[in-house]
Amino acid sequence: MHADPAVEVTGLVKRYGSKTAVDGLDLTIARGTVTAVLGPNGAGKTTTVETCEGYRRPDAGTVRVLGLDPVRHAAELRPRIGVMLQSGGVYAGARAVEMLKHTAKLYADPLDVPSLVERLGLDSCGRTTYRRLSGGQQQRLALAMAVVGRPELVFLDEPTAGLDPQARRATWDLIADLRRDGVTVVLTTHHMDEAEHLADDVAIVDRGRVIAHGTVDALRGTDSTLRFDGPAGLDLGELRKVLPDGAAVTEPTPGSYRVEAALDASLLAAVTGWCAGAGVMPDKLAVQRRSLEDVFLDLTGRELR
Ligand code: ATP
């Protein structure tokens, strides 16, 4: 395991004319991890990733990828990183699988092309030209091209956008395998469930900066909300007595109760035990942990999408 990070972005600024797309962004990604870069449209995710890939030059700040400058050391990095762009970068008239075979030949120790093709459900489009593939097939081909060379680090820009559930699952499985093989994966996504399912770390980007970075668990915290319905006007002072310090109990609308506290099975037992003692049958009892959406809302006061 390498001590140096796979990606180190410090104070990155990137402007398009008068528009500042990335505004002093800092991000460090450890080797062998899957990091999801999450944020609303226009937050600067793609620009940041494209700068790491060497496609854009920073206006200020520094970017290091596997310890190298992605613009100056582009040739050295090319065989070591895999890139899946949101669109383009592919000759539209070329046949899908031939293109993949051709790409594989550029690497010293590529993955087996037929099994990759089968895994990603591309076997039916072997002789089809890129431009005639469906959007989802084009995307899966782009993913295959990004990983076929067994890169140390892959950048995947919205790898599952627009995919059907089966293709999405195949993509998730492939990313999980990359992680198992020690590959560092940086992916952008709008899907909270994708980040929660795949990522070791999540970096939340808003207005060109990283506003939160950590494990999904750390970002979501341990607080949860327990809700139940019952008769209106229960004695909340009495309920509070059986709950741990710091728990908040409210009745936002008559007969509807909310307990906010650290997630713990004993909390549920305390609430249901108190209800039993008070002769109350809690209806629609539910415990919900804060989602990444809630985290974003708390940080910015806005919805993620
Ligand atoms: P999305 O989730 O929609 O892909 P994003 O977080 O990836 O968004 P970017 O694509 O990096 O965001 O865009 C950041 C900002 O920079 C946006 O306001 C976008 O309109 C602008 N932008 C991006 N590329 C260009 C460009 N080539 N020329 C001008 N403005 C651009």
Side-chain angles (χ1 to χ4, degrees):
M1 180 94 180
H2 259 279
D4 341 328
V7 176
E8 194 161 27
V9 177
T10 315
L12 176 65
V13 176
K14 182 69 203 165
R15 299 186 198 91
Y16 299 108
S18 60
K19 165 95 204 163
T20 303
V22 178
D23 192 14
L25 183 140
D26 297 315
L27 179 63
T28 301
I29 291 174
R31 296 205 192 212
T33 58
V34 176
T35 299
V37 180
L38 204 70
N41 287 126
K45 305 180 296 293
T46 299
T47 303
T48 301
V49 169
E50 287 179 354
T51 311
C52 293
E53 292 161 352
Y55 293 120
R56 300 189 185 280
R57 268 172 208 278
D59 289 318
T62 55
V63 176
R64 289 288 172 274
V65 171
L66 303 176
L68 301 169
D69 176 329
V71 177
R72 274 200 307 135
H73 300 115
E76 209 174 315
L77 279 173
R78 201 163 298 126
R80 300 176 62 193
I81 67 173
V83 170
M84 176 187 179
L85 301 170
Q86 258 183 41
S87 60
V90 175
Y91 170 55
R95 291 203 171 101
V97 173
E98 271 168 35
M99 199 154 43
L100 186 57
K101 280 187 188 151
H102 190 71
T103 306
K105 285 197 190 118
L106 303 174
Y107 295 92
D109 180 27
L111 294 176
D112 178 54
V113 170
S115 43
L116 186 59
V117 161
E118 192 196 334
R119 257 200 101 165
L120 289 173
L122 289 167
D123 10 14
S124 61
C125 24
R127 296 185 58 77
T128 316
T129 56
Y130 180 79
R131 77 161 68 80
R132 290 188 191 282
L133 297 178
S134 72
Q137 288 167 338
Q138 289 182 353
Q139 217 164 329
R140 279 175 278 154
L141 180 64
L143 174 64
M145 308 247 289
V147 303
V148 71
R150 288 188 209 265
E152 288 166 57
L153 165 65
V154 277
F155 293 101
L156 308 175
D157 204 358
E158 297 191 30
T160 62
L163 292 187
D164 63 36
Q166 198 186 344
R168 193 164 183 238
R169 173 56 63 178
T171 302
W172 281 13
D173 288 349
L174 187 76
I175 294 171
D177 283 1
L178 291 171
R179 181 177 180 277
R180 206 167 307 132
D181 292 344
V183 177
T184 309
V185 180
V186 181
L187 61 99
T188 67
T189 183
H190 290 127
H191 301 292
M192 310 300 119
D193 60 337
E194 185 153 295
E196 287 174 9
H197 182 84
L198 289 176
D200 298 296
D201 283 318
V202 173
I204 301 182
V205 177
D206 187 41
R207 301 180 207 260
R209 285 167 182 259
V210 173
I211 56 168
H213 186 194
T215 63
V216 174
D217 264 357
L219 289 176
R220 290 172 73 192
T222 48
D223 272 10
S224 61
T225 305
L226 186 153
R227 295 165 210 267
F228 67 94
D229 287 355
L234 290 177
D235 187 344
L236 299 188
E238 286 301 309
L239 173 54
R240 218 164 272 131
K241 284 185 192 162
V242 303
L243 298 177
D245 288 347
V249 189
T250 52
E251 186 181 3
T253 53
S256 180
Y257 298 91
R258 281 177 70 156
V259 180
E260 313 226 12
L263 182 64
D264 183 342
S266 67
L267 178 79
L268 186 61
V271 173
T272 51
W274 181 84
C275 286
V280 170
M281 174 67 192
D283 193 21
K284 297 186 194 148
L285 183 71
V287 180
Q288 251 176 352
R289 259 185 89 184
R290 263 155 47 100
S291 66
L292 289 174
E293 294 266 12
D294 297 330
V295 174
F296 186 78
L297 188 67
D298 289 351
L299 289 168
T300 66
R302 287 175 291 116
E303 303 275 343
L304 196 45
R305 274 180 279 181

